[in-house]
Amino acid sequence: MYTIDAKNMSFSQLNDQLRTLPETEICIDHCCGQRYIASGMIVKELHIHGIPGNALASYLNGGSITVYGNVQDAAGDTMNSGQLIIHGNAGDTTGYAMRGGIICIRGNTGYRSGIHIKEYANNVPALLIGGKAGSFLGEYQAGGVIAVFNLTQDLQAGAAEPAVGHFCGSGMHGGIMYIRGEYLPSLPPQVRVRIEYGYNIPQLMPYLDTFCTVFPEANKTLLQNSPYSILTPNTENPYKQLYTYN
């Protein structure tokens, strides 16, 4: 594995190296806020130690990126395919407008994550969040899968804090959300919610398998046996009526 020491390196210098290096497996040490890392990358495998700056993996077209720490805002912005694994927390707008690939976050994510997420043909993006998500999760969601596993909460111990903030699913008109737990803030009229246990949701199982493979410390049995709030668009009150005529 080739190693880049990013200490005191500008984001443009770092990205120039990533684009020109022939090596396909690269470790970046001492990363500290450099933006646009791996933007448009296709086949390489990156291991990042430190804190990448905004727009990590934007327009990602393949390959994989593993971050052994936190990431800043807009990670996975408009990514098309590939895999982004974050062992810490993520900032705001994670997975903005992503249209393929998968993002796995061990911790929490901030506001407006998964907004404008969409799918086309066999490209079904997935945003898997191990902790909690801030307000406006899945705003204007048009496709794809968002799952919030709320790992810090023991749902058997009684009332738990909600796994998401306010205005979850505002303007949602496609896709699906799985949110572990039954207690959610008030939802907009464009969203329907039903409660199912994980073992009764076969569509969720591949994503649980993926998440627990990436993060083996996650308790798969606990996740399977937990209740989930399943959010889907309300076809009787479609979002499109807010801005167009039928």
Side-chain angles (χ1 to χ4, degrees):
M1 184 188 303
Y2 187 89
T3 299
I4 297 174
D5 187 346
K7 187 175 183 180
N8 299 324
M9 186 180 288
S10 71
F11 77 91
S12 57
Q13 290 174 314
L14 176 56
N15 285 303
D16 284 345
Q17 280 203 34
L18 289 175
R19 280 191 291 268
T20 57
L21 280 170
E23 287 80 5
T24 58
E25 189 173 3
I26 300 170
C27 175
I28 301 174
D29 283 337
H30 304 114
C31 186
C32 187
Q34 288 93 344
R35 296 169 286 168
Y36 313 128
I37 293 174
S39 180
M41 188 181 79
I42 298 176
V43 296
K44 294 184 178 182
E45 178 180 339
L46 303 186
H47 300 266
I48 301 176
H49 299 269
I51 302 176
N54 289 1
L56 168 71
S58 60
Y59 303 98
L60 188 68
N61 275 312
S64 68
I65 301 171
T66 302
V67 181
Y68 301 95
N70 301 327
V71 302
Q72 294 183 347
D73 297 343
D77 180 352
T78 324
M79 67 183 285
N80 296 308
S81 64
Q83 179 175 262
L84 173 58
I85 298 169
I86 301 163
H87 283 263
N89 300 314
D92 296 338
T93 63
T94 305
Y96 171 82
M98 67 183 295
R99 48 201 180 191
I102 185 167
I103 300 176
C104 295
I105 305 168
R106 177 62 181 86
N108 304 321
T109 189
Y111 293 160
R112 286 194 159 90
S113 294
I115 70 169
H116 290 293
I117 187 174
K118 55 184 71 71
E119 63 185 74
Y120 175 73
N122 293 324
N123 297 316
V124 181
L127 174 60
L128 310 182
I129 302 158
K132 300 179 185 297
S135 296
F136 297 100
L137 176 70
E139 187 179 26
Y140 310 121
Q141 182 179 355
V145 175
I146 298 174
V148 183
F149 295 125
N150 196 12
L151 286 169
T152 58
Q153 292 289 324
D154 179 3
L155 303 184
Q156 306 302 318
E161 295 179 3
V164 299
H166 297 287
F167 314 113
C168 180
S170 293
M172 182 184 188
H173 53 285
I176 192 166
M177 289 192 216
Y178 303 102
I179 301 174
R180 181 170 169 261
E182 301 180 57
Y183 173 49
L184 298 177
S186 58
L187 297 172
Q190 297 87 36
V191 172
R192 278 185 167 167
V193 60
R194 71 180 193 275
I195 307 297
E196 296 277 0
Y197 277 79
Y199 50 73
N200 285 329
I201 313 172
Q203 300 91 336
L204 178 61
M205 289 302 106
Y207 299 105
L208 275 180
D209 290 341
T210 296
F211 188 85
C212 293
T213 298
V214 171
F215 303 115
E217 69 275 18
N219 187 331
K220 184 178 177 181
T221 300
L222 172 68
L223 294 178
Q224 287 182 153
N225 294 337
S226 294
Y228 286 82
S229 299
I230 304 175
L231 277 59
T232 53
N234 181 0
T235 57
E236 294 179 0
N237 190 359
Y239 174 73
K240 66 179 182 180
Q241 289 184 352
L242 297 180
Y243 62 92
T244 191
Y245 293 102
N246 288 326

